[in-house]
Amino acid sequence: MKKILLYLIIPTTVILIIIINLLPKENKTLTFISDGLWYQYNFENKDNINSDFIYPALQSKELLRYIEEDTTKITNSSTSLKSQIKESKLVLLSIGMEDFINDIYVNEKERKLIYDQDILSLRADIFINHYHHIIEEISSLNKDSIIISLSLYNPYPYFKDTNLDIFINNINNYIKEINKNGVYLDITSYSQEKYFNSINDYKLNTIALNNIYKEITNLNSLNH
């Protein structure tokens, strides 16, 4: 009798193990692909967050190349960018500011910003093209992942500049449209002096990032 039971138990156990391994595994990883906005940010719940692909001066052209080349260049781990995207349930995409910021100059003495609108328009065309391909690449690598696109924001709220506001708004409309199957997170409301550390620091401060991070993690929890 014991032998009969043993013969029944062993194949049943093997079958169960095979079935469990074949079942789709829920992936809860939230991957940040970002420029300097999230650089050195102290993430909570790190077990569920991959922050290896945050690079201070990351531009859209570089990111697109990194995805295509399956790079590990901007990470301390051995996991490549493509591999990480494939394993992620959510991908947070926060790029764009570095594509434009070097063409905008602060004139503190005259209290104004200096830039060439034609050059910014050219940069915008290039960025939009890159962004479109980046979304396509991520989606093709992991059709089940949800891409969260962070908007751009006015990096110099100390100066009233309507043209720059319009420029950023237009870029954000394109970002939203390109990632129409994902989630668009508008952070333009943080373009206020209290969310910056100084007039020359275009990166949002910790207060703003903490608030934005809460919004992102709420999206993450909704998709579990």
PDB file of all heavy atoms in Angstrom, residues 41-56:
ATOM      1  N   TYR A  41      18.327  60.173  -5.562  1.00  0.00           N
ATOM      2  CA  TYR A  41      17.103  60.206  -4.752  1.00  0.00           C
ATOM      3  C   TYR A  41      17.063  58.971  -3.857  1.00  0.00           C
ATOM      4  O   TYR A  41      17.425  57.869  -4.277  1.00  0.00           O
ATOM      5  CB  TYR A  41      15.872  60.244  -5.658  1.00  0.00           C
ATOM      6  CG  TYR A  41      14.564  60.278  -4.892  1.00  0.00           C
ATOM      7  CD1 TYR A  41      14.160  61.437  -4.250  1.00  0.00           C
ATOM      8  CD2 TYR A  41      13.748  59.149  -4.806  1.00  0.00           C
ATOM      9  CE1 TYR A  41      12.970  61.478  -3.532  1.00  0.00           C
ATOM     10  CE2 TYR A  41      12.558  59.182  -4.103  1.00  0.00           C
ATOM     11  CZ  TYR A  41      12.174  60.344  -3.465  1.00  0.00           C
ATOM     12  OH  TYR A  41      10.995  60.382  -2.765  1.00  0.00           O
ATOM     13  N   ASN A  42      16.622  59.155  -2.629  1.00  0.00           N
ATOM     14  CA  ASN A  42      16.560  58.058  -1.665  1.00  0.00           C
ATOM     15  C   ASN A  42      15.220  57.334  -1.796  1.00  0.00           C
ATOM     16  O   ASN A  42      14.232  57.711  -1.175  1.00  0.00           O
ATOM     17  CB  ASN A  42      16.738  58.601  -0.240  1.00  0.00           C
ATOM     18  CG  ASN A  42      16.801  57.487   0.788  1.00  0.00           C
ATOM     19  OD1 ASN A  42      17.141  56.345   0.467  1.00  0.00           O
ATOM     20  ND2 ASN A  42      16.453  57.802   2.022  1.00  0.00           N
ATOM     21  N   PHE A  43      15.209  56.281  -2.613  1.00  0.00           N
ATOM     22  CA  PHE A  43      13.971  55.542  -2.866  1.00  0.00           C
ATOM     23  C   PHE A  43      13.566  54.702  -1.668  1.00  0.00           C
ATOM     24  O   PHE A  43      14.405  54.059  -1.031  1.00  0.00           O
ATOM     25  CB  PHE A  43      14.137  54.620  -4.077  1.00  0.00           C
ATOM     26  CG  PHE A  43      14.222  55.342  -5.387  1.00  0.00           C
ATOM     27  CD1 PHE A  43      15.450  55.650  -5.939  1.00  0.00           C
ATOM     28  CD2 PHE A  43      13.070  55.723  -6.062  1.00  0.00           C
ATOM     29  CE1 PHE A  43      15.541  56.317  -7.144  1.00  0.00           C
ATOM     30  CE2 PHE A  43      13.153  56.397  -7.263  1.00  0.00           C
ATOM     31  CZ  PHE A  43      14.383  56.698  -7.812  1.00  0.00           C
ATOM     32  N   GLU A  44      12.268  54.695  -1.408  1.00  0.00           N
ATOM     33  CA  GLU A  44      11.713  53.787  -0.412  1.00  0.00           C
ATOM     34  C   GLU A  44      11.296  52.499  -1.123  1.00  0.00           C
ATOM     35  O   GLU A  44      11.157  52.469  -2.335  1.00  0.00           O
ATOM     36  CB  GLU A  44      10.500  54.417   0.273  1.00  0.00           C
ATOM     37  CG  GLU A  44      10.819  55.679   1.067  1.00  0.00           C
ATOM     38  CD  GLU A  44       9.575  56.289   1.682  1.00  0.00           C
ATOM     39  OE1 GLU A  44       8.489  55.730   1.475  1.00  0.00           O
ATOM     40  OE2 GLU A  44       9.697  57.320   2.348  1.00  0.00           O
ATOM     41  N   ASN A  45      11.072  51.450  -0.351  1.00  0.00           N
ATOM     42  CA  ASN A  45      10.634  50.158  -0.903  1.00  0.00           C
ATOM     43  C   ASN A  45      11.560  49.718  -2.037  1.00  0.00           C
ATOM     44  O   ASN A  45      11.124  49.386  -3.139  1.00  0.00           O
ATOM     45  CB  ASN A  45       9.189  50.245  -1.408  1.00  0.00           C
ATOM     46  CG  ASN A  45       8.235  50.702  -0.339  1.00  0.00           C
ATOM     47  OD1 ASN A  45       8.347  50.292   0.814  1.00  0.00           O
ATOM     48  ND2 ASN A  45       7.297  51.555  -0.704  1.00  0.00           N
ATOM     49  N   LYS A  46      12.857  49.723  -1.757  1.00  0.00           N
ATOM     50  CA  LYS A  46      13.834  49.431  -2.807  1.00  0.00           C
ATOM     51  C   LYS A  46      13.727  48.022  -3.365  1.00  0.00           C
ATOM     52  O   LYS A  46      14.214  47.751  -4.467  1.00  0.00           O
ATOM     53  CB  LYS A  46      15.248  49.674  -2.264  1.00  0.00           C
ATOM     54  CG  LYS A  46      15.568  51.144  -2.060  1.00  0.00           C
ATOM     55  CD  LYS A  46      17.015  51.341  -1.667  1.00  0.00           C
ATOM     56  CE  LYS A  46      17.338  52.818  -1.524  1.00  0.00           C
ATOM     57  NZ  LYS A  46      18.748  53.053  -1.130  1.00  0.00           N
ATOM     58  N   ASP A  47      13.096  47.118  -2.615  1.00  0.00           N
ATOM     59  CA  ASP A  47      12.937  45.752  -3.105  1.00  0.00           C
ATOM     60  C   ASP A  47      12.081  45.715  -4.367  1.00  0.00           C
ATOM     61  O   ASP A  47      12.173  44.788  -5.161  1.00  0.00           O
ATOM     62  CB  ASP A  47      12.291  44.869  -2.027  1.00  0.00           C
ATOM     63  CG  ASP A  47      13.235  44.629  -0.856  1.00  0.00           C
ATOM     64  OD1 ASP A  47      14.444  44.824  -1.042  1.00  0.00           O
ATOM     65  OD2 ASP A  47      12.757  44.260   0.222  1.00  0.00           O
ATOM     66  N   ASN A  48      11.252  46.711  -4.522  1.00  0.00           N
ATOM     67  CA  ASN A  48      10.329  46.747  -5.656  1.00  0.00           C
ATOM     68  C   ASN A  48      10.735  47.788  -6.699  1.00  0.00           C
ATOM     69  O   ASN A  48      10.033  47.993  -7.677  1.00  0.00           O
ATOM     70  CB  ASN A  48       8.906  47.048  -5.154  1.00  0.00           C
ATOM     71  CG  ASN A  48       7.863  46.655  -6.166  1.00  0.00           C
ATOM     72  OD1 ASN A  48       8.000  45.642  -6.840  1.00  0.00           O
ATOM     73  ND2 ASN A  48       6.825  47.448  -6.290  1.00  0.00           N
ATOM     74  N   ILE A  49      11.864  48.456  -6.476  1.00  0.00           N
ATOM     75  CA  ILE A  49      12.294  49.542  -7.357  1.00  0.00           C
ATOM     76  C   ILE A  49      13.659  49.220  -7.954  1.00  0.00           C
ATOM     77  O   ILE A  49      14.574  48.805  -7.243  1.00  0.00           O
ATOM     78  CB  ILE A  49      12.420  50.872  -6.578  1.00  0.00           C
ATOM     79  CG1 ILE A  49      11.085  51.255  -5.939  1.00  0.00           C
ATOM     80  CG2 ILE A  49      12.915  51.993  -7.492  1.00  0.00           C
ATOM     81  CD1 ILE A  49      10.011  51.632  -6.908  1.00  0.00           C
ATOM     82  N   ASN A  50      13.794  49.417  -9.260  1.00  0.00           N
ATOM     83  CA  ASN A  50      15.104  49.325  -9.886  1.00  0.00           C
ATOM     84  C   ASN A  50      15.505  50.729 -10.317  1.00  0.00           C
ATOM     85  O   ASN A  50      14.869  51.328 -11.186  1.00  0.00           O
ATOM     86  CB  ASN A  50      15.079  48.394 -11.095  1.00  0.00           C
ATOM     87  CG  ASN A  50      16.479  48.162 -11.657  1.00  0.00           C
ATOM     88  OD1 ASN A  50      17.167  49.100 -12.052  1.00  0.00           O
ATOM     89  ND2 ASN A  50      16.903  46.919 -11.691  1.00  0.00           N
ATOM     90  N   SER A  51      16.552  51.245  -9.708  1.00  0.00           N
ATOM     91  CA  SER A  51      16.998  52.607  -9.997  1.00  0.00           C
ATOM     92  C   SER A  51      18.387  52.624 -10.630  1.00  0.00           C
ATOM     93  O   SER A  51      19.086  53.626 -10.586  1.00  0.00           O
ATOM     94  CB  SER A  51      16.994  53.441  -8.711  1.00  0.00           C
ATOM     95  OG  SER A  51      17.840  52.850  -7.728  1.00  0.00           O
ATOM     96  N   ASP A  52      18.785  51.482 -11.215  1.00  0.00           N
ATOM     97  CA  ASP A  52      20.117  51.386 -11.798  1.00  0.00           C
ATOM     98  C   ASP A  52      20.273  52.218 -13.070  1.00  0.00           C
ATOM     99  O   ASP A  52      21.385  52.560 -13.456  1.00  0.00           O
ATOM    100  CB  ASP A  52      20.452  49.928 -12.130  1.00  0.00           C
ATOM    101  CG  ASP A  52      20.708  49.101 -10.885  1.00  0.00           C
ATOM    102  OD1 ASP A  52      21.093  49.691  -9.867  1.00  0.00           O
ATOM    103  OD2 ASP A  52      20.515  47.881 -10.931  1.00  0.00           O
ATOM    104  N   PHE A  53      19.150  52.517 -13.720  1.00  0.00           N
ATOM    105  CA  PHE A  53      19.234  53.191 -15.012  1.00  0.00           C
ATOM    106  C   PHE A  53      18.849  54.665 -14.911  1.00  0.00           C
ATOM    107  O   PHE A  53      18.014  55.179 -15.643  1.00  0.00           O
ATOM    108  CB  PHE A  53      18.377  52.449 -16.040  1.00  0.00           C
ATOM    109  CG  PHE A  53      18.887  51.050 -16.291  1.00  0.00           C
ATOM    110  CD1 PHE A  53      18.357  49.972 -15.598  1.00  0.00           C
ATOM    111  CD2 PHE A  53      19.927  50.828 -17.178  1.00  0.00           C
ATOM    112  CE1 PHE A  53      18.847  48.692 -15.807  1.00  0.00           C
ATOM    113  CE2 PHE A  53      20.420  49.554 -17.387  1.00  0.00           C
ATOM    114  CZ  PHE A  53      19.885  48.479 -16.703  1.00  0.00           C
ATOM    115  N   ILE A  54      19.483  55.320 -13.952  1.00  0.00           N
ATOM    116  CA  ILE A  54      19.339  56.773 -13.768  1.00  0.00           C
ATOM    117  C   ILE A  54      20.708  57.396 -14.016  1.00  0.00           C
ATOM    118  O   ILE A  54      21.678  57.036 -13.357  1.00  0.00           O
ATOM    119  CB  ILE A  54      18.827  57.113 -12.357  1.00  0.00           C
ATOM    120  CG1 ILE A  54      17.425  56.531 -12.154  1.00  0.00           C
ATOM    121  CG2 ILE A  54      18.815  58.617 -12.142  1.00  0.00           C
ATOM    122  CD1 ILE A  54      16.883  56.706 -10.741  1.00  0.00           C
ATOM    123  N   TYR A  55      20.762  58.296 -14.963  1.00  0.00           N
ATOM    124  CA  TYR A  55      22.033  58.860 -15.372  1.00  0.00           C
ATOM    125  C   TYR A  55      21.909  60.380 -15.406  1.00  0.00           C
ATOM    126  O   TYR A  55      21.003  60.911 -16.050  1.00  0.00           O
ATOM    127  CB  TYR A  55      22.395  58.310 -16.745  1.00  0.00           C
ATOM    128  CG  TYR A  55      23.768  58.677 -17.243  1.00  0.00           C
ATOM    129  CD1 TYR A  55      24.908  58.264 -16.561  1.00  0.00           C
ATOM    130  CD2 TYR A  55      23.924  59.410 -18.409  1.00  0.00           C
ATOM    131  CE1 TYR A  55      26.172  58.590 -17.021  1.00  0.00           C
ATOM    132  CE2 TYR A  55      25.189  59.739 -18.883  1.00  0.00           C
ATOM    133  CZ  TYR A  55      26.314  59.325 -18.187  1.00  0.00           C
ATOM    134  OH  TYR A  55      27.554  59.644 -18.647  1.00  0.00           O
ATOM    135  N   PRO A  56      22.792  61.126 -14.712  1.00  0.00           N
ATOM    136  CA  PRO A  56      22.621  62.570 -14.515  1.00  0.00           C
ATOM    137  C   PRO A  56      22.399  63.395 -15.776  1.00  0.00           C
ATOM    138  O   PRO A  56      21.594  64.313 -15.783  1.00  0.00           O
ATOM    139  CB  PRO A  56      23.927  62.985 -13.818  1.00  0.00           C
ATOM    140  CG  PRO A  56      24.399  61.751 -13.143  1.00  0.00           C
ATOM    141  CD  PRO A  56      23.982  60.608 -14.019  1.00  0.00           C
TER     142      PRO A  56
END
